[in-house]
């Protein structure tokens, strides 16, 4: 056998991969993230199929069984109206997942787009967008939420908008930061040299680079927004009763701390585990997407 | 030793004639006093007055004053002080928010140093009750002179305590060494701390940081009662809770519908669920502690009857409607309860807790009754004068539609209106009683509200504290506080 | 060891003895052995050069010696690293504890890294960073350490050393930073200096300076040097002995002159053959490809010299640049007051015919890339004309210009950076096709496959990601991408600078092969004179944004007419230890800056013709007059 | 540097102007009539009208805005509708408690955030890393009202170590600042971790080791110092979060701060107080971010010299 010396030895990858397959292959090794993802998937299914899974109706009271501790009939006990806490948590997953996920997605989408545009074009557009973000950031978030709800009226969709609005500026800043550094990358120049349009450059070459940071913040933000919804419930502006939103359950149940701890404990655990899962998943996704780690 | 009281809210001001929340007024009762006051059972007792006489038409009231009383600034309390204080409040130029209480005042005549005659423009049978209202206080004329508008920040009265400080969320008063009741007060001072969170207030009580907590959350009573050094005191109140139905809007135009909803709600369950049992179902449009109260035949909990009535009115399958109230835990809970109850008769209730400003906008932003968007509203009312007049008239008078007064049910019954007006034109208790008995009966039958309950007032205190009590209107009296 | 104990202070005993070193990395695919069974020694005061192509384990060896490999995820799986310390005690560093290592590192063995730009901590001052080592190892006070730092900076001959102490790394040029690195490494007068490609990232002139500097300091301090490089020219310049590595194993070891004159192993021979030697084509007018060596299994190889390549056709230029000017404003202050201008490209004119290669040479910062970028419209020109087939690009509308883009393409210096790491290379290659609608659907895939074959890769590589390729392969991908839109002109901006000699040769050959096939015109931007000699028909030398000399390659190389051109040629290391001249004068100073006051454009005059098509500037530019 | 500061300070002016307009519009967009809220439910129509007049709530909005803006420029924010005390007094009484609470929360959140973040990064993938993650996630998933009540129950009621609330000695600060800071600590920890992991791969960290710098200095000096650069930016953003989060914490710990004042004045439609307070928050936030940027420039020499 003879080879041209100058050909460096490359270990040819045995299996051929599609981009998605490639991503999956890397993601698959993040065992913790996988578990977290599976959990969230399960939670999503639970949320969707809550009416079939939940042992009780979440809104039907039972005045004979008020504030019971966990029993065989009520796994997580009952609340002040005798409603089954476990069923409410199952149903609440719908709302809390929606609040957490939709609001942050909405805020993230708008924020990241603004940030990428701002970072890519710079100049006047940049100053304008960033000043608007300053104004939004400087405005206390919870107040903004109060305002949105006062003006639009209470209700879970308005909570989502409210939380989304004050996620925007931070996402914008994050995305702008990474765009600023990425737009100097040679491959962006290379794309421009080929004649690729600005819009495509932003979508194809800049946006994906901003994602790793955005994902980490995204997963944290989901937790924050579930809690913001809870804080809104705390001041009485959250989901409309009797919606079993987790934050509202906590806010409602706080008067029973010491009387019936199960009323707050179980929704608390639900929030904790869900947020944890989002964060673990976020970490895993980030690691799987990070080209630097890929090279290792 | 200083008494520290945990209260849910902040004061809004130090001039009782210009504030309208019970808490501020009650707080100022430590510094200011009126001619009359209420005892624990809402009975009128003389304070700075000793006795009174009224003419038959209820237009002239002669009042004899207590002697030897001094203001905190050392000046004497006398007839002139009464004249100046009352006329100050009644003078529209002063724009005091409590003026409406004695807007019928014509003048105050000084008979002698310790006697005044109050002359009214129109007859007003409830005047003595009104004078017992915590907003009507006697201020030091010297201080009024000295501070002018700033009296609102420098209160000088005749009370058991002298004003010391009001900053952010604490209000402090100290012992008045020259108080006219010999031997009183028995504590060195009183501090009111505003602690909005129920749980925190309770924790402070347990930790001994406060010794007295008002508006104790009912759900925590079982816990508090188990604690050896705490005492939970339950007192009846004149706070009645009801859900008003807009009688000018379908389907509530039909009295059968309104009655049906009254049958559909289990009032006992209401008390148990919403107030943790510390409540009694309403037996009349007004709570039983108000004068001229007449019990009515209860709307017993009867789903079948409710359904029948609804069917009769043309709603066999119920209907959809909305209820709103403020966004605090208790009101949300009450609305949810109604939602569940009415669901049994097919009425689908949407529950809308509103932020106070928004709620106010919905109620008061309406100029003409037909523009009202209110369908149902849940609220509570306490007659700050302790009298039947203010317990019913603002809420159910045909001339009291918002924004004039608080008749959110847009209820108008000419007979009832006549009763209200008639009762005001006499000071004779018997006549007034008859008017109010008729009014209560008619209102009960018309059922413009779902009558819910009169909540009990709960306070918790350390066992070694005595002499403090709560008034049925949610005010409280701290004058007699004493530590064992 | 079975041998009798070595007398501790024996003068001839080596400073370092590496015995059977094995280094492993745990990777996705299992354990990867980066260095296998490596043994060598270094005597006190001598310079051992380690050579081998990228990935052969040179850096890993040096990091293992410093026991820094643990921090990079590696593990010393076996072998001994014996080091004779100042106290004369021989220790096996492979099993030394952390404390011992901290005492040895920086104190007895110091290291200089390949990347001067990133090897200094950006947040600490130069002074602090040098002084840190002194304070750590010599227990010096703050003031003493600072004084020592200053002394070291002076020793590495940085102009204005005193002022530099309180500066931060980003305020220094690459050459200066590398000198700071050296000052830092030498601060404690180590017995061994490990220099991992200390000059690869630098200009030839700066490289010459640094190499001389290390040499002088080494003589002064009597320190041994382990010099890692893949540049045979550098090896010839500095090495006493040479260690050749391939795939983590030692291939050959010996005295420098021996290795160069009589390479024993086929791999060494191939390596040497691929080294471009300045002057190889002296006397020949036409470019010629690198000779290819075939290695037969078990040694022995055949050497094929390529024929000269004559590709220039026609006489009308494809691309013509006339009086091109590109300047950058330097702004300061609140209102962005204009405080100066970088005259990156100043009145540059040249032309390229079909099938012709014009080389653009010059030192870092002289404006080569800016010229290329301006032609590509990545950078707006201030004035001048860029004529493509006689039509001015700058006068065209945006739409038309966009479509012209496909006819002129650019290959960037860094093949890795110019590919989006998140896209498959197939997608990257297809991007010009889809952008300009040159192909759709299945045709795209076919075209990509064809392009990959053209550059010597296989079509199924299209589905892989950039990081899965070697540097040479990536550069091929970039070339394929540039070819996708069937360009007529290709601007190659230092397209081979980052590559190993052997791969560099391949890529150069590939470019020339494509030129022959497609009659492409190249603008070949480079600072490597030896490569330029191989590929170009004509050469333009740039200095401070201007062309100081332009003409046929043979004329410019054989008879450089401008003093700057001569200096550039002199700085090129010669890959032959026999011809090394260690006493060459050390060039001082930095490259002058092209920043001038806002309204003070440099003087530009017409070039003077000194031979046929050979023009030279005969007026003063920068330091040259 | 100085030029930079001046430039930034000038840049604040339009932002503050924008905020003042937004705030004014926002406040007046909120449904609800302050006159009615001030006068009370059982006030008569004429009472309400009188109150409205005395509050200066008549005339077109733009006039009211001009009035507000001009007065604000001279530092006069008017009289609180609710308590009829000058807004300056109302805010002044509560400013320091909030500022201290925020600062304390920030300080310890930063310290703990950094510690946990660095520990997680150094022990990446090991149990310490997951431990750090769980702590961080707890920080963002425990609602502060819940955590606050639990803390009070434990430390004040059961153990009697700390006062339940109020503003006073250092002991009063412990629980509120902890509750408030936990969320920030969490974010800090997560961001520190990822910044640290990134920096730890840099060449200059290897250079430090090659100099023989002991590992703890490599971590705390060479790596962390660089990792701080991105973390500092995040810190600035978190201040906004703290200002918002303090509403709940102030309620639970009956802290006489601005957050509660804000909620109170919103529910009371106390326009002058809301306006002044949001303006104050915004200026505070902007100044803090300015400070953060200066710090950032300080931590990052490349910016410092631009
Ligand atoms: N941290 C690491 N993890 C896994 N493999 C590594 C790591 N560092 C180096 N390697 C592998 O070890 C081998 C030798 O690398 P090394 O850096 O020593 O090459 P080199 O000879 O210095 O090359 P170059 O000239 O490019 O610097 C390469 O195949 C490389 O991929
Ligand atoms: N965008 C820019 N803004 C300001 N100055 C710039 C810009 N780009 C390049 N320069 C300056 O223009 C001059 C020429 O730069 P250019 O990149 O063309 O040099 P070069 O010859 O390609 O150098 P190298 O060999 O280092 O790539 C340099 O002084 C550089 O600092
Ligand atoms: Mg290397
Ligand atoms: Mg260049």
């Amino acid at each position: 056998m003879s080879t041209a010396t100058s050909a460096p030895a490359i270990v040819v990858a045995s299996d051929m991969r599609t981009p998605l397959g490639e991503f999956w292959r890397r993601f698959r090794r993040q065992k913790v993230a996988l578990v977290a993802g599976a959990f969230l998937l399960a939670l999503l299914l639970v949320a969707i199929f809550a009416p079939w899974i939940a042992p009780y109706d979440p809104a039907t009271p039972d005045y004979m069984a008020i504030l019971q501790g966990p029993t065989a009939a009520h796994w997580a006990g009952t609340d002040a109206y005798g409603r089954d806490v476990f069923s409410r948590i199952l149903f609440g997953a719908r709302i809390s997942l929606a609040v957490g996920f939709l609001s942050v997605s909405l805020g993230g989408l708008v924020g990241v787009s603004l940030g990428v545009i701002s970072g890519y074009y710079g100049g006047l557009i940049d100053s304008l967008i960033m000043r608007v973000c300053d104004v939004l950031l400087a405005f206390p978030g919870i107040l903004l939420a109060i305002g949105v709800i006062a003006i639009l009226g209470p209700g879970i969709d308005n909570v989502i908008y409210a939380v989304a609005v004050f996620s925007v500026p931070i996402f914008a800043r994050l995305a702008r930061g990474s765009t600023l550094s990425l737009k100097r990358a040679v491959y962006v120049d290379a794309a421009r040299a080929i004649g690729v349009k600005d819009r495509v450059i932003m979508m194809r070459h800049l946006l994906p680079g901003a994602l790793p940071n955005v994902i980490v913040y995204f997963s944290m933000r989901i937790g924050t927004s579930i809690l913001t919804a809870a804080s809104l419930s705390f001041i009485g502006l959250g989901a409309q009763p009797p919606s079993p939103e987790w934050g509202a359950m906590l806010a409602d149940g706080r008067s029973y701390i010491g009387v019936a701890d199960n009323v707050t404990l179980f929704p608390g655990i639900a929030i904790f585990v869900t947020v944890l899962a989002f964060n673990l998943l976020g970490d895993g996704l980030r690691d799987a997407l990070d080209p630097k780690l890929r090279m290792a | 030793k200083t008494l520290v009281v945990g209260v849910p809210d902040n004061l809004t001001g130090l001039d009782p004639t210009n504030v309208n929340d019970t808490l501020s007024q009650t707080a100022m009762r430590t510094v200011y006093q009126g001619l009359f006051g209420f005892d624990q059972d809402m009975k009128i007792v003389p304070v700075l007055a000793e006795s009174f006489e009224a003419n038959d038409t209820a237009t002239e009231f002669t009042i004899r004053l207590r002697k030897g009383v001094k203001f905190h600034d050392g000046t004497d309390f006398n007839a002139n002080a009464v004249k100046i204080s009352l006329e100050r409040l009644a003078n529209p130029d002063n724009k005091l928010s409590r003026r409406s209480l004695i807007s019928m005042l014509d003048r105050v005549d000084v008979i002698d140093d310790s006697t005044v005659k109050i002359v009214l423009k129109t007859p007003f049978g409830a005047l003595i009750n009104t004078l017992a209202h915590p907003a009507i206080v006697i201020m030091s004329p010297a201080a009024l002179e000295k501070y002018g508008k700033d009296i609102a920040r420098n209160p000088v009265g005749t009370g058991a305590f002298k004003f010391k400080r009001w900053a952010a969320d604490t209000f402090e008063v100290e012992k008045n060494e020259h108080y006219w009741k010999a031997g009183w007060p028995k504590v060195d001072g009183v501090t009111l701390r505003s602690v909005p969170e129920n749980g925190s207030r309770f924790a402070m009580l347990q930790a001994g940081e406060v010794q007295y907590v008002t508006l104790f959350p009912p759900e925590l009573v079982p816990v508090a009662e188990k604690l050896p050094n705490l005492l939970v005191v339950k007192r009846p109140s004149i706070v009645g809770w009801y859900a008003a139905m807009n009688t000018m809007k379908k389907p509530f135009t039909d009295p059968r519908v309104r009655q049906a909803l009254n049958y559909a709600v289990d009032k006992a369950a209401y008390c148990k669920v919403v107030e943790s049992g510390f409540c009694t179902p309403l037996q009349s449009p007004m709570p039983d502690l108000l004068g001229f109260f007449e019990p009515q035949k209860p709307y017993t909990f009867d789903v079948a009857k409710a359904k029948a009535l609804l069917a009769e009115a043309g709603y066999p399958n119920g209907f959809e409607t909305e209820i709103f109230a403020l966004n605090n835990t208790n009101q949300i809970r009450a609305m949810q309860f109604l939602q569940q109850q009415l669901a049994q008769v097919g009425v689908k209730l949407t529950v809308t807790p509103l932020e106070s400003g928004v709620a106010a906008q919905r109620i008061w932003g309406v100029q003409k009754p037909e523009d009202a968007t209110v369908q149902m509203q849940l609220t509570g009312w306490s007659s700050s004068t302790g009298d039947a007049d203010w317990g019913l008239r603002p809420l159910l008078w045909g001339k009291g539609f918002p924004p004039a007064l608080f008749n959110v049910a847009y209820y108008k019954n000419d007979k009832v209106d006549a009763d209200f007006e008639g009762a005001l034109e006499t000071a004779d208790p018997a006549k007034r009683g008859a008017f109010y008995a008729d009014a209560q009966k008619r209102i009960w039958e018309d059922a413009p509200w779902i009558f819910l309950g009169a909540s009990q007032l709960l306070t918790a205190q350390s066992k070694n504290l005595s002499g403090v009590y709560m008034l049925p209107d949610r005010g409280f009296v701290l004058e007699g506080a004493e530590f064992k | 060891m079975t041998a009798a104990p070595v007398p501790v202070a024996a003068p001839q005993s080596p400073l370092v003895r590496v015995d059977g070193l094995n280094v492993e990395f745990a990777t996705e695919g299992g354990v990867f052995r980066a260095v296998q069974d490596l043994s060598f020694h270094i005597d006190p005061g001598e310079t051992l050069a380690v050579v081998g192509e990228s990935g052969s384990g040179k850096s890993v060896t040096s990091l293992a010696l410093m026991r820094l490999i643990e921090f990079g995820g590696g593990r010393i799986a076996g072998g001994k690293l014996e080091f004779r310390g100042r106290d004369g005690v021989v220790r096996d560093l492979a099993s030394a504890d952390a404390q011992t290592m901290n005492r040895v590192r920086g104190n007895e063995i110091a290291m200089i890294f390949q990347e001067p730009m990133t090897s200094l901590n950006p947040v600490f001052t130069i002074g602090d960073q040098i002084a840190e080592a002194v304070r750590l190892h010599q227990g010096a006070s703050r003031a003493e350490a600072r004084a020592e730092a200053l002394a070291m900076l002076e020793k590495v001959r940085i102009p204005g050393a005193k002022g530099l102490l309180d500066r931060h790394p980003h305020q220094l040029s690459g050459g200066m930073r590398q000198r700071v690195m050296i000052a830092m490494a030498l601060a404690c007068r180590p017995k061994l200096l490990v220099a991992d490609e200390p000059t690869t990232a630098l200009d030839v002139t700066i490289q010459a300076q640094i190499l001389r500097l290390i040499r002088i300091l080494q003589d002064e301090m009597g320190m041994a040097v382990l010099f890692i490089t893949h540049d045979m020219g550098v090896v010839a310049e500095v090495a006493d002995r040479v260690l050749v590595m391939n795939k983590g194993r030692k291939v050959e070891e010996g005295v420098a002159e021996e290795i160069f004159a009589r390479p024993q192993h086929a791999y060494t021979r191939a390596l040497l053959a691929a080294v471009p030697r300045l002057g190889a084509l002296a006397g020949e007018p036409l470019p010629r490809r690198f000779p290819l060596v075939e290695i037969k299994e078990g040694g022995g190889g055949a050497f094929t010299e390529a024929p000269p390549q004559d590709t220039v056709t026609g006489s009308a230029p494809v691309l013509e640049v006339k009086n091109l000017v590109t300047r950058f404003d330097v702004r300061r202050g609140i209102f962005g007051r204009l405080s100066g201008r970088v005259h990156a490209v100043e009145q540059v004119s040249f032309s390229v015919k079909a099938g012709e290669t014009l080389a653009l040479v010059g030192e870092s910062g002289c404006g080569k890339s800016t010229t290329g970028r301006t032609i590509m419209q990545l950078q707006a020109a201030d004035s001048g004309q860029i004529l493509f087939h006689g039509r001015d690009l700058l006068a065209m509308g945006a739409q038309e210009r966009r479509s012209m883009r496909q006819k002129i393409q650019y290959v960037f210096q860094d093949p890795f950076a110019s590919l989006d790491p998140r896209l498959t290379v197939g997608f990257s290659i297809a991007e010009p096709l889809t952008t300009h609608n040159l192909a759709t659907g299945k045709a795209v895939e076919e075209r990509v496959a064809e392009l990959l074959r053209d550059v010597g890769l296989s079509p199924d590589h299209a589905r892989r990601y950039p990081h899965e390729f070697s540097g040479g392969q990536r550069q091929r991908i970039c070339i394929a991408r540039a070819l996708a839109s069937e360009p007529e002109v290709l601007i190659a901006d230092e397209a081979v600078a980052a590559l190993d000699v052997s791969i560099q040769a391949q890529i150069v050959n590939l470019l020339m092969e494509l030129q022959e096939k497609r009659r492409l015109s190249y603008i070949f931007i480079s600072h490597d004179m030896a490569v330029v000699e191989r590929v170009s028909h004509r050469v333009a030398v740039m200095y401070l944004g201007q062309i100081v000399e332009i003409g046929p390659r043979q004329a410019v190389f054989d008879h450089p007419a401008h003093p700057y051109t001569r200096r550039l040629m002199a700085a090129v290391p010669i890959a032959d230890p026999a011809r090394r001249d260690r006493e060459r004068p050390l060039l001082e100073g930095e490259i002058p800056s092209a920043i001038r006051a806002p309204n003070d454009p440099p003087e530009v005059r017409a070039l003077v013709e000194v031979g046929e098509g050979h023009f030279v500037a005969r007026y003063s530019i920068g330091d040259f007059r | 540097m100085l030029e930079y500061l001046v430039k930034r300070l000038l840049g604040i002016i339009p932002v503050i102007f924008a905020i003042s307009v937004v705030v004014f519009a926002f406040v007046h967009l909120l449904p609800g009539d302050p006159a009615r809220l001030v006068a009370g439910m059982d006030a008569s129509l004429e009472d309400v009208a009188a109150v409205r007049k005395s509050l200066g709530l008549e005339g077109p909005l733009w006039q009211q805005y001009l009035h507000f803006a001009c007065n604000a420029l001279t530092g006069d924010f008017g009289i609180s509708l609710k308590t009829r005390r000058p807004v300056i007094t109302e805010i002044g009484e509560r400013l320091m408690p909030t500022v201290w609470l925020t600062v304390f929360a920030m300080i310890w959140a930063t310290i703990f955030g950094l510690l946990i973040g660095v520990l997680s990064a150094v022990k990446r993938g090991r149990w310490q890393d997951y431990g750090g993650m769980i702590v961080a996630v707890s920080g963002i998933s425990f609602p502060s009202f819940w955590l606050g009540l639990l803390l009070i129950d434990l430390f004040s009621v059961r153990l009697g170590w700390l006062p339940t609330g109020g503003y006073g000695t250092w002991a009063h600060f412990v629980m509120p600042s902890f509750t408030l800071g936990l969320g920030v600590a969490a974010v800090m920890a997560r961001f520190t971790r990822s910044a640290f992991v990134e920096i730890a791969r840099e060449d200059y960290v290897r250079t430090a080791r090659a100099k023989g710098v002991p590992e703890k200095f490599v971590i705390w000096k060479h790596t962390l110092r660089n990792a701080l650069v991105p973390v500092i930016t995040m810190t600035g953003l978190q201040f906004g979060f703290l200002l918002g989060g303090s509403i709940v914490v102030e309620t639970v710990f009956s802290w006489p701060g601005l957050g509660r004042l804000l909620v109170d004045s919103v529910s009371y439609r106390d326009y002058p107080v809301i306006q002044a307070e949001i303006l104050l928050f915004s200026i505070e936030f902007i100044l803090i971010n300015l400070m953060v940027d200066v710090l950032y420039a300080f931590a990052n020499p490349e910016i410092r010299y631009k």
Side-chain angles (χ1 to χ4, degrees), chain C residues 92-160:
Chain C
D92 181 8
L93 298 184
S95 57
D97 59 12
Q99 226 165 356
T100 314
M101 279 324 295
N102 281 340
R103 231 172 336 180
V104 170
R105 278 188 216 129
N107 189 20
E108 308 219 31
I109 311 180
M111 190 155 180
I112 314 171
F113 295 97
Q114 178 164 6
E115 255 307 323
M117 293 319 234
T118 56
S119 292
L120 289 172
N121 196 323
V123 302
F124 298 113
T125 61
I126 304 299
D128 283 350
Q129 295 193 51
I130 302 176
E132 185 176 27
V134 180
R135 293 181 56 194
L136 272 172
H137 297 300
Q138 305 185 343
S141 74
R142 205 170 267 275
E144 286 164 11
R146 201 176 150 90
E148 183 63 28
L150 180 60
M152 284 322 293
L153 280 180
E154 275 161 0
K155 193 158 240 163
V156 297
R157 294 171 179 78
I158 291 190

Side-chain angles (χ1 to χ4, degrees), chain A residues 22-44:
Chain A
E22 161 75 352
F23 169 76
W24 173 239
R25 194 179 60 83
R26 322 201 115 266
F27 182 64
R28 214 172 43 197
R29 247 174 307 107
Q30 319 271 349
K31 292 281 181 290
V32 185
L34 268 181
V35 174
F39 170 79
L40 288 173
L41 205 68
L43 194 66
L44 189 69

Side-chain angles (χ1 to χ4, degrees), chain A residues 59 61 63-64 66 80-81 83 146 150 154 234-237 240-242 252 254-259, chain B residues 197 219-220 222-223 269 272-273 327 329 332-334 336-337 339-341 350-355 358:
Chain A
Y63 298 123
M64 296 298 96
I66 287 176
Y81 307 84
R83 299 177 298 202
I146 295 176
F234 176 77
I235 49 179
L237 295 171
Q240 250 169 317
D252 266 2
R254 74 182 187 281
S255 358
Y256 302 98
I257 289 178
V259 187
Chain B
E197 179 62 22
E219 57 270 17
L220 289 179
V223 190
K272 182 174 158 204
V273 172
N327 53 15
T329 323
I332 294 176
R333 200 182 296 156
Q336 282 197 68
F337 173 79
Q339 185 182 43
Q340 293 154 6
Q341 293 279 301
T350 307
V351 164
T352 313
L354 292 179
E355 191 264 339
V358 182

